[in-house]
Amino acid sequence: MNADQQKAVLTIALMAAFADGANDEQEREQIRGIAESLSGEAGAADLRGLYQQVLLKRVSLDDAVAALGEPTHRQLAYEMAVCVCDADGHTSPAERAFLDALAAALGLGRAVTAPVDQQGEEMADLIDAAAPMAPAGAAAGQEVPRAASNPAADAEMDRSILNYAILNGALELLPQSWASMAIIPLQIKMVYGIGKTYGHELDQGHIRELLATMGVGLTSQYLEQFGRKLLGGLLGKVGGGLGRQLGKSATSVAFSFATTYALGQVARRYYGGGRQMSTELLRDTFQNLLGPAKEMQARYLPQIQERAGSLDAGQIMSMVRGR
């Protein structure tokens, strides 16, 4: 893809992010920051204004689609839009209307879109499976005293968080559209498990709120993961070997590894300390852990590459569903 084609797909992905009209100010700010971050890394200055153009509806679907002449590029644009719409759960009626309009603008028939829609819904199912939609009991709303220090249990928790980070880093090495989408339910599952270890019965709403407080939005995070893959040239490249793919995807691997690791460590402190951390402290702690976690990722690159070599969609689904 050239720069204009990349911009077109990113435009469509941003449109998908705003399609349900339910984005709050916090999520809009996260998406704006992602557009700026991707612009800096890609060296594409015109991406900085893309967020405003989409938010203020100064660009149309027809405008974005016009740059995508290749059938494979058009299908990729639709796949990414479906993934963005399903990143925070199942497609809403407003998102469904957007996807139908997009398919028509791209000239894609049901033979092409139906399998993509089904795959998106299956991946959205994983978010439902990652943690209960409602708390199992009254414990979800109760404060639990700070857990006593247990070196063996702490070491086991560290290993679990590290394994999740390695797994999510490995997903970024895969070229399939579902790969980055699987990162979010795995993060939710990780946080759910950490909370349960410390006596908290969590539900989806609480976990989503905690992630949002730290600045880890579901839709915005997927957009960043997808954007890094797109601009790095990894998407759709099958058979080139992980060694050749790694150079272009190193940034996205570090991002997903570090985000997952920092998220797990903050959740551990939060629930282990009886949920006493303020909103500001949660956010600051998460941000302070990201840098060291990105540096730490380099040490585990061989394990990340090895893990990527054995991953497939069925295996990921089994991991998320097997609580």
Side-chain angles (χ1 to χ4, degrees), residues 224-242:
E224 182 157 6
Q225 292 158 347
F226 155 63
R228 292 183 189 280
K229 274 190 172 184
L230 176 71
L231 297 171
L234 179 63
L235 283 168
K237 290 194 174 182
V238 181
L242 288 178

Side-chain angles (χ1 to χ4, degrees), residues 1-13 42 44 47 50 67-68 73 226-227 229-234:
M1 278 190 169
N2 60 36
D4 287 339
Q5 292 162 341
Q6 290 175 341
K7 181 181 176 182
V9 176
L10 285 171
T11 299
I12 292 169
L47 289 181
L50 196 56
L68 301 174
H73 294 168
F226 155 63
K229 274 190 172 184
L230 176 71
L231 297 171
L234 179 63

Side-chain angles (χ1 to χ4, degrees), residues 73-289:
H73 294 168
R74 291 184 169 228
Q75 183 170 343
L76 174 63
Y78 186 79
E79 288 181 5
M80 292 304 101
V82 169
C83 289
V84 170
C85 288
D86 287 338
D88 61 349
H90 293 281
T91 304
S92 69
E95 289 170 330
R96 183 68 263 164
F98 168 78
L99 291 173
D100 289 343
L102 175 61
L106 290 167
L108 301 177
R110 288 295 297 162
V112 174
T113 62
V116 177
D117 292 337
Q118 180 179 355
Q119 184 184 62
E121 287 296 293
E122 288 174 354
M123 297 308 294
D125 284 341
L126 291 186
I127 295 180
D128 295 343
M133 296 303 293
Q142 296 175 351
E143 295 301 328
V144 177
R146 183 180 181 88
S149 178
N150 183 328
D154 289 345
E156 178 60 30
M157 182 70 72
D158 273 337
R159 283 192 294 271
S160 176
I161 293 170
L162 178 59
N163 286 336
Y164 273 107
I166 288 172
L167 176 58
N168 281 346
L171 284 169
E172 291 289 28
L173 289 174
L174 304 183
Q176 293 89 350
S177 58
W178 58 262
S180 291
M181 202 175 170
I183 290 171
I184 292 167
L186 284 166
Q187 289 175 340
I188 292 175
K189 178 180 173 66
M190 176 184 69
V191 173
Y192 174 78
I194 292 171
K196 194 168 184 177
T197 296
Y198 291 113
H200 299 273
E201 285 291 341
L202 309 179
D203 62 13
Q204 286 271 347
H206 175 85
I207 295 173
R208 288 168 181 254
E209 183 179 348
L210 179 67
L211 267 62
T213 298
M214 287 188 245
V216 186
L218 305 189
T219 300
S220 57
Q221 184 181 180
Y222 177 77
L223 271 174
E224 182 157 6
Q225 292 158 347
F226 155 63
R228 292 183 189 280
K229 274 190 172 184
L230 176 71
L231 297 171
L234 179 63
L235 283 168
K237 290 194 174 182
V238 181
L242 288 178
R244 284 198 286 169
Q245 294 172 355
L246 182 60
K248 291 186 176 180
S249 59
T251 301
S252 59
V253 172
F255 169 77
S256 292
F257 176 96
T259 299
T260 303
Y261 187 82
L263 174 61
Q265 290 296 339
V266 175
R268 173 186 171 183
R269 298 181 192 184
Y270 180 58
Y271 296 118
R275 293 166 64 173
Q276 297 300 311
M277 297 173 74
S278 67
T279 296
E280 183 178 359
L281 182 58
L282 279 168
R283 186 178 297 113
D284 288 348
T285 304
F286 177 74
Q287 289 299 324
N288 290 337
L289 285 170

Side-chain angles (χ1 to χ4, degrees), residues 33-51:
I34 287 166
E36 291 189 353
S37 174
L38 293 176
S39 296
E41 292 198 15
D46 58 348
L47 289 181
R48 293 188 181 277
L50 196 56
Y51 164 83

